[in-house]
Amino acid sequence: MSDLTKTTGYKMAERLLTEFDYGKVTKLANGQILREYEVVAIDKEIEIAKGIKFPGWTYNGSIPGPSFRCTEGDLLRFHFINKGSHPHSIHFHGIHPPEMDGLTSIYPGQNFTYEFEAKPYGLQIYHCHVLPLARHIHKGLYGNFIIDPKKPREPALELNMVMNGFDLDLDGENEFYTVNGYAFAFMNHPIKIKKDQLVRIYLSNLTEFDLLNSFHLHANYFTYYPTGRNDNPSQFTDTIMQCQGERGIIEVRFSYKGIYMFHAHVSEFAELGWMGFFEVE
Amino acid sequence: MKGKWLITVLIPLVLLIGVLGWVLKNGAGVEKDPAAPIEVLNIERIKVTKIGFELFVSNTGPEPLTISQVMVNDSVWNFNVAPQAKLERFDEGKVTISYPWVEGDPHTIKLITENGIISEGEVAAATLTPEVTWSNFLNYGLIGFYVGIVPITLGLLWYPFMKRFSRKSINGILALTVGLLLFLFVGTLADGFEIGAEAPSVFQGNMVVIIAASLTFLLLIGFDQYQQRKQEKKGYSPFGLALLMAAGIGLHNFGEGLAIGSSFALGEAALGTFLIIGFTLHNITEGIGIAAPLLKTTPRYRDFLLLGVIAGAPAIAGTWVGGFIFSPIWGALFLGIGAGAILQVIYVITKILIEDHRKHNEASVSWLNLSGFAIGLLIMYFTAFFVKF
């Protein structure tokens, strides 16, 4: 487990931690912001633990897919091209016309543009909605979709974390549990944080085959906003759980320097890859 | 004429080489890549040590493979592979895992290859795998002694009692021997299949049992016929028959020792007094069987000693092999040989019985013989209750 080499799988998880896709931005005549995103479904082998290859179905070549980001009220266009071997779609959570809901299969070689206004603000997710669902989601077609409120949130170190799992022998049970697709990524390479800095984590659960996943932080407490809504009742705690598709925002400050562990409080998930460290300097 | 004859041999050969060359160069026209990677990683033996586990593995699949991750009881764990994690076809390796195992608990070890193929090994009840030390060596030998030598020698001690039997009763005892040998034959074959199934599939453990059993059977019969023609004597000497039976039973007892030794080594069975008593009862009939052919002769004491050692001592060797260096494929081979040898003894005794009754114008399946045969089978069946674990 203690392995300091930065393999391709780790680099993917690290990149997804802080990379947000704001799309190509233009301003419409009525003053509305238009964001256009390129989304390509491709079959790709992903390294999900050191030396383990997983034959994935991906959006833009990573599991999870890119973290799309916009502001409430923006007009969004997702130009979707299916270059995979199976029909796929993008089903976004949020409020939009039903014909943009991603229930229609886009066949290999075809494309489709999903267009809708970004609302409501909060942390949404997106995933493929082609049957069989469990297979399409588990193979890697999912990601975070952040709609920022019009009044910007307080500046912070923003981290993107998608909890997921991988079933290698297709027995309906995951062999590995990860954050951003690589087992023990942030255990071997702790996430660097400054003392007293506000940290905001966009956390979602897209683990297939298990009912629940959880997030537990050592030696500290955090504020949890379900679905990223400030108007939802928040919690001040050190452990939260999310069912499949549930997501929320964690805000936390660290007042002591040192190493803080975080992991799923399902011990099995933790020991199978869902474990990491913050290093407060 | 001779040239023509040679050409008829060569034509198919040349064509065969042509076809193989074509297929190798152009493929067989069917899909080249399998849908999923075919990787076969065999876990041949798991040794439980003070610091954790040692797994002896081999790659018996068609392609090279790389061991990338190890899980113990659903937890990713650090490991080392010697000489290296990449195994070529038929390469062997040793996976060392430091793990704080719990005495008596089951432990499941998963080896995951680069392509996500999982091989699972199980330690049914963790306990230190016995090292080859003098005291272990003696202890295992003692188990074999109790299970093999003691009961057979005790069975042979019934000889003076059986000596007073009439010709017909002696034949009844021989029929009893056939019954118990039939039980041993089927049991040995079944054990062979069971152990053979644990061997890497490329070695086809079941076929090894069949080949070893049938060849042993036919070779022994062939050797027997050759001897008879050469010496122009009729059949076996009684002592020769007893010797043959002792050898066959010896191989069976080797298999029994193998099973006991490996079960103890794997922590699957505890050496209980009950089990020792069971084996003594179960194997005592083997001694009676060996003594049966000698009833019409006057053997010497040292003949009995020799027979007892030949039939019983392999149990000692079996516990050593099973306890310290067990390998399923060798086990399958030995048990196959044992089954073949026992079958040959059944054949010989049955022939003797039938010929003897024919000589005296009697039916060979008499009530006495049928009862003897049935009692032989039933004694083995019921005494086996003590030793099935």
Side-chain angles (χ1 to χ4, degrees):
Chain A
M1 278 182 291
S2 55
D3 168 53
L4 298 176
T5 54
K6 295 197 168 181
T7 60
T8 48
Y10 168 73
K11 284 179 189 155
M12 179 191 73
E14 184 192 44
R15 177 170 64 77
L16 290 166
L17 187 67
T18 50
E19 192 178 272
F20 300 96
D21 183 352
Y22 290 91
K24 204 177 83 197
V25 185
T26 43
K27 206 161 200 175
L28 296 172
N30 62 0
Q32 194 182 20
I33 299 276
L34 168 69
R35 292 181 193 269
E36 293 182 274
Y37 304 86
E38 289 283 331
V39 193
V40 185
I42 37 171
D43 296 0
K44 193 179 168 192
E45 214 163 53
I46 299 288
E47 190 191 29
I48 56 141
K50 202 205 169 194
I52 304 277
K53 290 185 273 179
F54 178 78
W57 296 345
T58 71
Y59 292 123
N60 293 1
S62 65
I63 303 178
S67 308
F68 299 121
R69 195 152 181 187
C70 56
T71 307
E72 192 176 32
D74 292 350
L75 183 66
L76 309 178
R77 278 188 198 139
F78 292 92
H79 302 294
F80 176 56
I81 308 165
N82 185 356
K83 288 188 180 166
S85 54
H86 283 254
H88 296 307
S89 72
I90 314 177
H91 160 73
F92 293 92
H93 286 219
I95 300 170
H96 47 245
E99 62 267 27
M100 291 297 148
D101 197 42
L103 292 184
T104 314
S105 299
I106 311 302
Y107 284 84
Q110 293 187 331
N111 29 316
F112 184 82
T113 298
Y114 298 93
E115 182 178 319
F116 53 88
E117 199 182 285
K119 64 184 172 186
Y121 86 85
L123 175 55
Q124 316 293 354
I125 52 169
Y126 66 94
H127 57 84
C128 179
H129 211 294
V130 171
L131 302 178
L133 257 188
R135 168 66 18 98
H136 281 256
I137 294 179
H138 161 252
K139 276 287 216 177
L141 294 167
Y142 48 78
N144 275 352
F145 169 38
I146 302 163
I147 303 179
D148 288 321
K150 280 184 174 150
K151 182 181 165 241
R153 296 180 195 271
E154 189 188 338
L157 170 68
E158 298 206 310
L159 303 172
N160 177 70
M161 290 190 187
V162 177
M163 304 189 282
N164 53 359
F166 295 95
D167 175 15
L168 300 179
D169 52 2
L170 306 180
D171 62 350
E173 221 176 279
N174 292 312
E175 267 67 46
F176 287 97
Y177 293 87
T178 67
V179 179
N180 295 355
Y182 189 73
F184 302 110
F186 310 114
M187 182 139 172
N188 298 327
H189 307 276
I191 300 168
K192 299 271 201 294
I193 285 172
K194 294 209 167 54
K195 185 174 167 286
D196 296 323
Q197 179 185 25
L198 177 64
V199 178
R200 182 175 300 121
I201 303 167
Y202 296 92
L203 179 79
S204 63
N205 175 22
L206 280 143
T207 313
E208 202 49 69
F209 310 125
D210 289 287
L211 296 177
L212 295 169
N213 208 327
S214 55
F215 179 98
H216 165 57
L217 176 62
H218 281 217
N220 206 349
Y221 259 54
F222 55 79
T223 309
Y224 179 67
Y225 302 96
T227 326
R229 299 283 307 183
N230 301 333
D231 44 6
N232 280 347
S234 64
Q235 282 182 55
F236 188 54
T237 177
D238 65 1
T239 306
I240 58 106
M241 68 173 176
Q242 292 181 339
C243 73
Q244 284 184 14
E246 201 174 340
R247 65 277 180 193
I249 291 176
I250 286 170
E251 287 189 343
V252 60
R253 288 176 206 272
F254 296 86
S255 46
Y256 301 105
K257 285 184 183 175
I259 298 270
Y260 294 75
M261 184 174 251
F262 63 97
H263 59 84
H265 217 298
V266 183
S267 310
E268 183 200 348
F269 296 5
E271 292 192 306
L272 291 175
W274 183 175
M275 207 166 5
F277 285 119
F278 293 117
E279 190 175 351
V280 180
E281 293 165 329
Chain B
M1 193 64 198
K2 195 138 199 185
K4 227 178 190 176
W5 175 79
L6 206 66
I7 286 170
T8 54
V9 182
L10 286 179
I11 287 173
L13 262 180
V14 169
L15 287 176
L16 175 69
I17 291 166
V19 168
L20 290 182
W22 165 265
V23 170
L24 279 176
K25 191 161 171 273
N26 302 307
V30 285
E31 186 111 7
K32 274 184 188 166
D33 292 323
I38 300 167
E39 294 183 333
V40 187
L41 178 62
N42 274 290
I43 301 175
E44 287 175 1
R45 207 156 75 85
I46 302 177
K47 201 170 146 192
V48 184
T49 65
K50 277 199 181 116
I51 61 145
F53 305 110
E54 282 173 16
L55 284 75
F56 298 85
V57 298
S58 62
N59 172 12
T60 57
E63 301 285 338
L65 60 80
T66 304
I67 302 171
S68 290
Q69 293 278 344
V70 165
M71 288 175 186
V72 182
N73 284 359
D74 282 334
S75 178
V76 177
W77 221 260
N78 283 329
F79 67 100
N80 256 310
V81 190
Q84 73 269 322
K86 184 173 180 188
L87 300 176
E88 300 292 332
R89 190 168 191 216
F90 291 125
D91 261 9
E92 295 186 349
K94 187 170 93 171
V95 181
T96 311
I97 309 165
S98 296
Y99 189 89
W101 50 270
V102 179
E103 176 82 28
D105 275 9
H107 292 75
T108 308
I109 302 167
K110 282 184 187 170
L111 305 181
I112 307 181
T113 67
E114 184 182 28
N115 289 313
I117 305 294
I118 301 170
S119 305
E120 209 174 284
E122 214 201 328
V123 178
T127 187
L128 268 183
T129 304
E131 294 287 338
V132 189
T133 60
W134 273 113
S135 77
N136 271 330
F137 201 66
L138 285 177
N139 279 334
Y140 275 68
L142 203 61
I143 301 171
F145 178 75
Y146 278 129
V147 165
I149 304 244
V150 168
I152 285 168
T153 312
L154 288 178
L156 284 171
L157 286 178
W158 258 309
Y159 178 79
F161 168 72
M162 295 192 291
K163 184 87 177 157
R164 299 180 195 177
F165 284 10
S166 66
R167 183 182 60 81
K168 281 187 179 177
S169 306
I170 288 173
N171 282 354
I173 294 287
L174 283 174
L176 181 139
T177 309
V178 172
L180 64 92
L181 285 175
L182 188 65
F183 186 95
L184 288 183
F185 169 69
V186 176
T188 308
L189 216 52
D191 288 348
F193 288 144
E194 201 179 307
I195 287 174
E198 288 169 23
S201 54
V202 70
F203 294 132
Q204 311 150 70
N206 286 351
M207 280 322 290
V208 169
V209 178
I210 298 277
I211 292 168
S214 54
L215 286 187
T216 306
F217 175 67
L218 288 175
L219 280 176
L220 284 175
I221 288 192
F223 180 70
D224 180 21
Q225 287 171 350
Y226 166 77
Q227 285 273 343
Q228 282 177 30
R229 199 167 314 151
K230 208 174 167 193
Q231 299 175 8
E232 287 175 15
K233 62 171 186 175
K234 275 209 149 190
Y236 277 98
S237 70
F239 182 67
L241 185 58
L243 212 55
L244 200 67
M245 198 177 321
I249 287 176
L251 277 166
H252 165 83
N253 284 339
F254 178 81
E256 217 159 58
L258 210 61
I260 298 169
S262 60
S263 294
F264 289 142
L266 297 174
E268 285 170 354
L271 176 55
T273 325
F274 187 71
L275 208 59
I276 292 290
I277 292 171
F279 270 110
T280 305
L281 283 174
H282 188 58
N283 290 353
I284 203 163
T285 42
E286 292 169 359
I288 299 176
I290 295 168
L294 300 176
L295 291 177
K296 292 171 196 164
T297 64
T298 43
R300 294 156 296 184
Y301 282 112
R302 65 159 194 258
D303 293 343
F304 286 113
L305 200 68
L306 184 68
L307 291 171
V309 169
I310 288 176
I316 300 176
T319 49
W320 284 334
V321 173
F324 302 124
I325 49 167
F326 182 65
S327 138
I329 198 65
W330 286 106
L333 181 71
F334 286 132
L335 289 176
I337 292 173
I342 293 169
L343 188 64
Q344 196 257 349
V345 179
I346 294 175
Y347 172 77
V348 170
I349 295 180
T350 313
K351 221 170 93 181
I352 289 173
L353 261 180
I354 292 174
E355 276 166 11
D356 188 66
H357 285 295
R358 191 181 290 152
K359 205 163 70 190
H360 292 87
N361 277 327
E362 294 160 356
S364 41
V365 186
S366 61
W367 281 113
L368 187 66
N369 284 357
L370 183 64
S371 312
F373 177 77
I375 290 169
L377 272 180
L378 291 177
I379 289 176
M380 293 309 273
Y381 177 74
F382 285 108
T383 54
F385 280 28
F386 295 109
V387 295
K388 288 291 164 194
F389 51 85

